[in-house]
Structures are given as structure tokens and as C-alpha cells.
Amino acid sequence: MRVAAAGVCHSDLHYMKGDWPIPLPAVLGHEGSAVVEAVGPGVKSVKPGDHCIIVFWPNCGRCEYCQMGRPMLCNGHPRPPGTMLDGSTRLSRQGQPVHHMAAVACFAEHAVIHEEQLLVIDDSVPLDRAALVGCSVTTGVGAALNTARVRAGSSVAVIGCGGVGLSVIQGARLQGAGRILAVDLFPEKLEMATAMGATDALDAHAEDLVRQVKRLTGGGVDYAFDAIGLPATLKQALDVLRPGGTAVAVGIGRFGEPAPIDAFSLVMQEKALLGSFYGSARPRVDMPRILDLYRQGRLQLDALLTRHYPLERINEAYADLQGSQAGRGVISFG
Ligand SMILES: [Zn+2]
Ligand SMILES: [Zn+2]
């Protein structure tokens, strides 16, 4: 594959910081789009010249989870971490294996990717926009549509307004949510959240954030999404719920880190807590739908994509990800 664009996602940062384990050395990058240059023997579903979204979580289609429509839980490819589906690597340095993040490793001009992880798209879709659908957009939109199934007229809080949080907001808007409260530390991000459909913008620094949410919504929201993944933000997502509400954990925290949860109110107020990985997506169903919504002007990808960087400036891109700049950045190739 000739990589076209690779999104600057927080998951790569988790690996860089050692929050999550991956054997080293490794090439990161998992949110991407690419064009097929050549195919190996037996490849049937893609051909040279095809434009593709890279699906960073392979799904075999045959295991129990794939068959029940939950391919994000696929267990059909047991293999050592950092390897391709056959358990080996395609990258090496001085004879030693170099590992692939998510069997993708798209922070590179070229990548070897299994056909199972490629979704062919129309040539008319700009490849830099398509890259975002490979992770952040599907993760966020899917959390609202698939995991939470947000209902029309309901109230929603979204904690963290980066690429994923903005996509949750757009998903909630598409579902017809009545009130969408965006929560972030940075005014620039809250401004973009409002442009993408949030009805209220709340400063995450505010000490009385939970009270503010309850005041604005008459007792708490129906759905709260934690798009950050810190113990404190997961707790907040549960605390801002009205009785009977649903919190959705979207951002992924540090491996093995516990979160403080008020178990008393979880039970007494019948709150629900759901994990949402990759938007609980069925990539071959959900990604084409997302692109259709984009084509119809109902889902904003152009405004979401705010920065392009050449590969040489990737460290700057990751510094920006942790700063105040709103929207998603991509590494662009050629
Ligand atoms: Zn990602
Ligand atoms: Zn499977």
C-alpha cells in the first residue's frame, strides 16, 4: 500500500509514552488511508489502484463475535502483539524484526496490510478525510449510533472534544439529540464543538462542572461519553448522568489502571456503564454509511481536519495533539 494520509491519534501517543505495551522497535500509525500498489497471491478483494480506508482492527468474519455482528470483539486472529495476522512481521532492521502497530504501521510511505483490513472506497472521496474514518470518526460516531443508540430529543454530555469527542457530538446530532453539552479544557476546542452541533460549551476546569450539567439539564444527562479515558473523566461521565442514564467509555486509559466509581449511585440510580471500542462498528457497514453522510453534507469531515504535516514533522504533530489546537491533524504523504 502507498499510504496517503495517517491520522494523529492519541492511541499512538499511549504507545509512545509506554501506557500500553507493544514490543519494540515498532512502527506506529493505525488511522489511515492508502492506495493499493501491488497484491500478493490469493488476494481477491482489492486490486492495484484501489483507494482504501485502513481498518485497524482485523475481523475474520468467521468467529462467534464476527458472526453475531460484533466484529470489534473478533478473536479469530490469535497472534503475538505487534505482528501481522500470520504472526510474523514484514518490517525488519539489521535482520531483527520491527513490529507493526495494529498490523497497520502507517506512519510510513508504504505499508503491507492484509486485505481483511482494507475497505475500498470511491476515488472521489478525498483520501485525507477518508483516513479519519479509519479511527476517530468511526470511534466517535459509532459510540453514539451503535453503542449508546442515542435517542432523539435526549440530552448528551461529551467529555473531551478532540477528534473522537467531536465525532461523538456529530453522532449525537445525527441521532437527533436535544441537548449536547461539550466539555473541554480549551476554548478553541469548545468553539469547534459548538460548530459541530454542541448546544452548550462547558469549561472542564470548573469545580462545579457536575452541578452545572445538572442545572442545565434539569437533573443530569441521559448519555455521557468519556472521550478522554482518565479515571477522573470516567467518574465524571457517571456523575453527570440523571438516574437511569448511560455512560459510555470511549477514550482508553492506561493499561490496567482502575477508575473510581460511585457504586452506590450506579445501583440505586440504575445507571449503565458501557465500553465502546472502535464505535462498536461493523466497518463494512458503518464506514460506507459515514462516507454517505459526509457526501450529503450531514457529517463534517472537512472542518474536522485542521492540520497537515509531512512525516518529518510528526513530533510537532504529537505536540500539537496535546495542546489547545482544535480538530484533527494528519500526516500527509506525497
Ligand atoms: Zn486511533
Ligand atoms: Zn472474527
Side-chain angles (χ1 to χ4, degrees):
M1 306 296 296
R2 179 174 58 76
V3 178
V8 178
C9 178
H10 223 97
S11 296
D12 305 285
L13 192 64
H14 279 298
Y15 285 112
M16 291 180 212
K17 287 177 165 176
D19 292 342
W20 305 346
I22 188 172
L24 297 173
V27 172
L28 301 181
H30 65 285
E31 172 177 289
S33 61
V35 179
V36 179
E37 288 222 319
V39 298
V43 172
K44 291 200 173 72
S45 59
V46 299
K47 60 181 188 307
D50 282 348
H51 290 202
C52 300
I53 291 173
I54 302 168
V55 178
F56 74 77
W57 199 254
N59 48 96
C60 73
R62 295 176 306 276
C63 74
E64 189 184 352
Y65 286 113
C66 282
Q67 289 286 304
M68 66 170 76
R70 302 188 71 179
M72 290 308 129
L73 303 179
C74 175
N75 60 13
H77 295 295
R79 64 192 199 278
T83 63
M84 302 293 287
L85 305 195
D86 64 359
S88 70
T89 70
R90 297 297 181 282
L91 303 169
S92 64
R93 187 173 62 185
Q94 292 163 353
Q96 295 302 310
V98 171
H99 297 86
H100 305 245
M101 176 176 177
V104 173
C106 64
F107 287 155
E109 288 89 347
H110 287 86
V112 177
I113 297 175
H114 196 284
E115 63 179 318
E116 193 177 301
Q117 290 180 256
L118 295 172
L119 178 84
V120 178
I121 58 170
D122 197 89
D123 291 2
S124 63
V125 181
L127 282 164
D128 52 357
R129 275 73 166 165
L132 306 189
V133 179
C135 176
S136 54
V137 171
T138 298
T139 296
V141 171
L145 271 65
N146 298 330
T147 316
R149 298 172 192 242
V150 169
R151 295 175 69 107
S154 61
S155 54
V156 172
V158 179
I159 300 165
C161 298
V164 170
L166 291 168
S167 300
V168 175
I169 288 169
Q170 295 209 67
R173 195 200 64 224
L174 284 165
Q175 293 287 92
R179 196 120 189 207
I180 305 174
L181 286 64
V183 180
D184 203 278
L185 296 169
F186 297 106
E188 297 89 334
K189 295 188 182 182
L190 288 172
E191 202 174 299
M192 184 168 260
T194 307
M196 297 211 165
T199 56
D200 302 83
L202 301 179
D203 179 3
H205 285 116
E207 257 178 53
D208 65 339
L209 179 71
V210 172
R211 249 183 299 137
Q212 280 189 48
V213 171
K214 292 196 170 174
R215 196 174 56 238
L216 285 166
T217 54
V221 290
D222 296 302
Y223 305 94
F225 295 84
D226 171 20
I228 302 284
L230 292 171
T233 50
L234 185 62
K235 174 176 165 36
Q236 252 170 9
L238 277 161
D239 289 348
V240 297
L241 292 178
R242 68 176 57 218
T246 300
V248 184
V250 183
I252 313 179
R254 281 172 60 185
F255 189 75
E257 187 168 44
I261 282 170
D262 175 0
F264 184 83
S265 76
L266 187 73
V267 175
M268 295 300 291
Q269 301 186 358
E270 295 203 337
K271 293 176 175 177
L273 173 58
L274 303 174
S276 178
F277 174 56
Y278 211 162
S280 311
R282 301 138 305 163
R284 290 181 199 284
V285 176
D286 293 302
M287 290 181 180
R289 287 183 184 176
I290 284 171
L291 292 178
D292 272 346
L293 291 165
Y294 165 62
R295 260 185 232 107
Q296 295 167 15
R298 296 164 71 193
L299 183 76
Q300 299 182 43
L301 299 182
D302 299 339
L304 186 63
L305 178 48
T306 49
R307 300 181 296 283
H308 289 82
Y309 306 86
L311 185 58
E312 305 79 69
R313 284 170 50 205
I314 191 165
N315 288 337
E316 185 187 326
Y318 272 89
D320 289 347
L321 177 74
Q322 298 170 80
S324 66
Q325 295 188 45
R328 195 71 155 181
V330 295
I331 309 298
S332 289
F333 298 89

